[in-house]
Amino acid sequence: MSAPAVNAQPLLQLQNVESAYGPIKAIRGVSLAVHTGEIATVLGSNGAGKTTILKTISGIIYPLKGSVHFKGDNITAQDPTSIVRRGLTHVPEGREVFPLLSVRDNLMMGAYTRRDRDAVARDLEWIYGYFPMLKERMQQDAGLLSGGQQQMLAISRALMAAPELILLDEPSLGLSPRLTKEIFEIVVRINRERGTTILLVEQNANMALNAADFGYVLENGRIVMEDRCERLREKEDIKEFYLGMKDTGMRGERRWKKKKTWR
């Protein structure tokens, strides 16, 4: 995907956002932008605040400070249903499918805000084209699917809302490398072929940096680095601390006490 024009208005923009769980601040002064048609990613270790960013955007958590704008409109602390109707959907960490509903009913739940029945039917067939397994198991209870199949269902349910932007939280969580690769390939295809904009948060930095166009690095609730992904992959700190490319000293031992400099 080509870089957006410098002066192009972002599809999504966070400005100095702070969110907390009770007295504990999870994210501090987070500012980021996602442009139409791109995949952006937020990298960070477990507990860095990645999921909190997505929950704040989608209205699940109200921020203490800052603002969230989508398509130029302020959606800060709006009701999640209103945000979905605006064209923004959220695939949560852990998939969160409706286990006692069938695969097809889960998909139709994703389209509950829509009234264009013919378009919904076309989108359902389009999704089956990307995930044929879902068509094969459309009458099966979602709770009986494997973890990878549930992840496919969760992504597809979000797509059934016909969103302009999808928030995708840890799609590789608990999946085998083969399934992770398969799901990332389909996510990239959906972005490239359908133009759906995606904000991805992920611990698997290698997969995320290869799939995304622009990346942010989150440490202890703060953005410490941002750049095009092809440039982030060449940063020494990213190589060592996120991609596992060990830096060795004179004796061939890893410098375990080396601190990140975010150069």
Side-chain angles (χ1 to χ4, degrees):
M1 187 70 63
S2 59
V6 174
N7 295 322
Q9 176 178 286
L11 181 64
L12 175 73
Q13 187 165 32
L14 276 65
Q15 295 180 311
N16 299 314
V17 171
E18 292 189 2
S19 295
Y21 298 95
I24 301 172
K25 285 188 179 179
I27 55 174
R28 303 166 181 265
V30 168
S31 295
L32 59 81
V34 182
H35 291 268
T36 300
E38 76 175 3
I39 301 178
T41 187
V42 179
L43 305 178
S45 59
N46 188 36
K50 305 185 302 300
T51 292
T52 303
I53 290 176
L54 299 193
K55 287 183 175 180
T56 302
I57 294 168
S58 61
I60 298 171
I61 294 175
Y62 290 177
L64 303 176
K65 296 180 182 178
S67 64
V68 180
H69 285 77
F70 179 59
K71 297 193 290 188
D73 297 325
N74 191 337
I75 63 167
T76 310
Q78 286 193 7
D79 181 78
T81 302
S82 171
I83 292 173
V84 170
R85 290 183 187 278
R86 287 176 177 269
L88 190 158
T89 56
H90 185 172
V91 181
E93 180 181 10
R95 299 173 279 278
E96 301 292 346
V97 299
F98 299 105
L100 300 181
L101 294 183
S102 70
V103 167
R104 188 181 188 282
D105 285 346
N106 266 268
L107 292 172
M108 296 309 293
M109 285 295 291
Y112 83 99
T113 60
R114 301 175 62 181
R115 298 294 179 265
D116 49 342
R117 293 186 178 182
D118 290 344
V120 168
R122 287 195 298 271
D123 284 349
L124 188 61
E125 290 304 314
W126 160 67
I127 282 169
Y128 287 152
Y130 281 108
F131 300 103
M133 174 279 306
L134 297 181
K135 187 170 187 177
E136 296 169 4
R137 298 172 182 263
M138 69 169 74
Q139 300 303 327
Q140 182 175 320
D141 287 352
L144 300 178
L145 299 178
S146 68
Q149 292 166 345
Q150 288 187 14
Q151 185 65 71
M152 294 176 187
L153 177 58
I155 293 170
S156 299
R157 183 180 60 191
L159 287 167
M160 284 299 295
E164 294 180 57
L165 172 65
I166 292 180
L167 310 178
L168 188 51
D169 194 352
E170 299 280 10
S172 71
L173 185 67
L175 302 186
S176 68
R178 181 185 63 81
L179 274 175
T180 296
K181 183 174 182 291
E182 180 180 347
I183 285 175
F184 267 84
E185 287 175 349
I186 294 173
V187 167
V188 170
R189 280 183 59 202
I190 290 167
N191 168 259
R192 303 310 191 237
E193 296 172 6
R194 304 284 295 193
T196 305
T197 306
I198 297 169
L199 176 57
L200 163 73
V201 305
E202 181 58 63
Q203 287 191 60
N204 188 329
N206 188 48
M207 293 296 295
L209 288 174
N210 281 302
D213 303 296
F214 198 90
Y216 297 86
V217 180
L218 190 70
E219 288 263 328
N220 298 318
R222 298 182 186 275
I223 300 289
V224 296
M225 182 180 286
E226 60 184 81
D227 209 334
R228 302 291 299 174
C229 286
E230 62 266 22
R231 290 196 286 267
L232 283 178
R233 287 194 295 267
E234 299 305 315
K235 302 282 187 181
E236 292 302 320
D237 282 330
I238 297 294
K239 286 182 179 181
E240 181 165 1
F241 293 99
Y242 285 93
L243 300 180
M245 298 178 182
K246 297 181 180 180
D247 191 3
T248 56
M250 292 179 63
R251 297 182 181 179
E253 297 176 352
R254 181 164 184 182
R255 296 181 290 117
W256 292 103
K257 295 184 179 180
K258 178 181 180 295
K259 294 183 178 180
K260 304 180 184 75
T261 58
W262 300 122
R263 52 189 179 274

